[in-house]
Amino acid sequence: MGSLALRRAAGAVPLLLVVWTAAFFLQQLIHGDPAAYVLGNTSTAAQRDQLDAAFGLHRSPLDQYLSTCANLLRGDLGRSWITSESVGRLLSTALPVTLSLALLSTLVTAAVGTALGIWAALRRGGTVDRILQLAAGAVTAVPNYWIGVGLVYLFAIHYRVFPATGYVQLNQSPGQWLRSLILPVIALSLAPIGPIFLQARSAVAEALDADYVRTVRALGIPRRRQVLKHGLRNAAAPIVTAVGFNTVGLLAGTVAVEQIFNLPGLGSQLLSGVLGHDVPVVQGVVLVFAVGVVIVNLAVDLLIGVLNPKTRRP
């Protein structure tokens, strides 16, 4: 398992470099002047030229890119062109917000999707199974943006049960932290529950139809033990794969959800960086998201290796 982790980590280095490079040069294609964004429309050309020189924008894009790579090797992500704050500090402040949102959403999607999948697998062909499949298809088709807007209107404006916007840090008040994340987590995790449910239903149904489970059933083993110990254990690998795949999608979904609920996370930093043509911030956020994807994929590979040793490579 250790060698697998080392191979994945080594293979991630060129991938992260490609992501870093793509984030820089794609940002160059976006029309806009960071100096004009900072100084405003009333600024003079001389003032903008002076700020461009401070940003290093008077140099060629290739020189700027090589400079960012040199800084990255030293662990320096640069400074925001808009606020002049350290990008590393901005990301360290925003990361806990996005991490809390993504982790809680992953737990919800995994738990609810798997539980519903088992329930439907035990009632294949019945009314409950059909209803759950229709519901899974329906929620998957609705963008999390519209789900978030509906939740805000229903539970924050109409009934005033949860706050509409804002974020409370965990170390300040664990209860308020959880309360501020309930609606965003529901908005982000509702759609991915569908694919995980369908994968869990299929995998558990296939496992329960296997010959060894029929033998266990013939021996009079209790139904719960048949499902949890034998059925779910052997269906775990495809479920873990589905959870990992949808977790990557959750990271992308945080951009829209954080905007709806005004959460100061990485998604909000990414959007403001793109709108302000703030290349250092955009590169930093994209790099963090890429690292998150690598970690998720590595965790999935390791879990599958534990659940199914046959998949391990020497």
Side-chain angles (χ1 to χ4, degrees), residues 49-61 63-64:
D49 290 341
Q50 184 179 3
L51 198 57
D52 283 341
F55 289 158
L57 298 180
H58 61 287
R59 298 178 297 168
S60 67
D63 288 340
Q64 296 178 46

Side-chain angles (χ1 to χ4, degrees), residues 79-128:
R79 289 187 171 274
S80 168
W81 290 350
I82 307 301
T83 65
S84 297
E85 292 185 70
S86 167
V87 174
R89 178 173 296 180
L90 289 174
L91 297 183
S92 65
T93 302
L95 180 60
V97 182
T98 301
L99 198 60
S100 299
L101 179 59
L103 288 178
L104 287 176
S105 299
T106 299
L107 291 175
V108 170
T109 56
V112 176
T114 302
L116 293 178
I118 295 174
W119 190 20
L122 294 176
R123 292 161 176 79
R124 279 170 290 169
T127 303
V128 171

Side-chain angles (χ1 to χ4, degrees), residues 281-306:
V281 171
V282 172
Q283 278 189 288
V285 174
V286 170
L287 182 65
V288 172
F289 275 135
V291 171
V293 172
V294 170
I295 292 175
V296 169
N297 288 334
L298 176 60
V300 170
D301 288 340
L302 294 177
L303 281 174
I304 291 178
V306 172

Side-chain angles (χ1 to χ4, degrees), residues 194-206:
I196 295 175
F197 156 75
L198 294 174
Q199 182 64 67
R201 176 189 177 279
S202 175
V204 172
E206 182 179 354

Side-chain angles (χ1 to χ4, degrees), residues 98-220:
T98 301
L99 198 60
S100 299
L101 179 59
L103 288 178
L104 287 176
S105 299
T106 299
L107 291 175
V108 170
T109 56
V112 176
T114 302
L116 293 178
I118 295 174
W119 190 20
L122 294 176
R123 292 161 176 79
R124 279 170 290 169
T127 303
V128 171
D129 183 24
R130 295 192 183 95
I131 292 175
L132 288 176
Q133 290 188 65
L134 289 173
V139 298
T140 304
V142 180
N144 52 32
Y145 179 85
W146 291 111
I147 294 175
V149 171
L151 290 173
V152 168
Y153 173 77
L154 186 61
F155 293 105
I157 298 177
H158 187 70
Y159 289 109
R160 300 181 183 274
V161 179
F162 300 106
T165 60
Y167 175 78
V168 178
Q169 295 182 4
L170 178 61
N171 56 6
Q172 292 182 349
S173 174
Q176 292 300 318
W177 167 80
L178 182 61
R179 190 166 179 266
S180 67
L181 285 174
I182 288 179
L183 292 184
V185 166
I186 295 175
L188 188 59
S189 60
L190 194 58
I193 287 176
I196 295 175
F197 156 75
L198 294 174
Q199 182 64 67
R201 176 189 177 279
S202 175
V204 172
E206 182 179 354
L208 292 178
D209 287 339
D211 292 338
Y212 65 90
V213 176
R214 293 177 181 176
T215 302
V216 168
R217 190 179 302 122
L219 293 175

